[in-house]
């Protein structure tokens, strides 16, 4: 499934359950103020571009964040730009 389709499904609420995440993927919450949930392939975690986002998340929230999930403190547009670059690899 293409990353754009997964992101659209995640944003549109098309999934059967809000906690349902396909095997080999993980849910992240993105946004500077209001958070949106995205489902991404776990392979992104090893890429230097995504690791920079993880570093920013660590700096902002540490490892104990009240949201309970991986939260990325950047704009939606920036996140979509990074994921579209990773999806084209």
């Amino acid at each position: 499934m293409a990353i754009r389709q997964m992101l659209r499904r995640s944003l549109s609420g098309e999934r059967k359950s809000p906690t349902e995440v396909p095997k080999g993927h993980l849910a992240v919450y993105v946004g500077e103020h209001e958070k949106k949930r995205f489902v991404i392939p776990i392979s992104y975690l090893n890429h230097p571009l995504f690791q920079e986002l993880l570093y920013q998340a660590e700096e902002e929230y540490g490892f104990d964040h009240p949201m309970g999930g991986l939260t990325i403190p950047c704009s939606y547009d920036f996140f979509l730009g990074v994921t579209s670059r990773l999806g084209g690899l």
Side-chain angles (χ1 to χ4, degrees):
M1 179 181 298
I3 186 67
R4 289 182 194 270
Q5 288 175 322
M6 286 187 297
L7 290 173
R8 268 191 236 118
R9 287 179 66 187
S10 178
L11 287 174
S12 71
E14 188 178 308
R15 307 188 77 76
K16 294 176 186 167
S17 164
T19 59
E20 183 181 325
V21 177
K23 185 175 181 177
H25 293 75
L26 75 145
V28 297
Y29 298 89
V30 178
E32 297 168 302
H33 301 291
E34 186 177 327
K35 309 294 187 234
K36 288 189 180 181
R37 184 175 183 263
F38 293 89
V39 176
I40 60 166
I42 59 171
S43 61
Y44 286 9
L45 295 174
N46 291 324
H47 195 280
L49 283 174
F50 201 83
Q51 287 180 355
E52 181 58 32
L53 293 177
L54 294 175
Y55 176 74
Q56 290 174 13
E58 178 187 1
E59 290 293 307
E60 179 83 18
Y61 304 115
F63 293 105
D64 184 29
H65 189 263
M67 192 111 178
L70 181 57
T71 304
I72 309 291
C74 68
S75 70
Y76 309 127
D77 291 335
F78 184 80
F79 182 78
L80 291 174
V82 168
T83 55
S84 68
R85 287 179 66 189
L86 296 178
L89 296 178

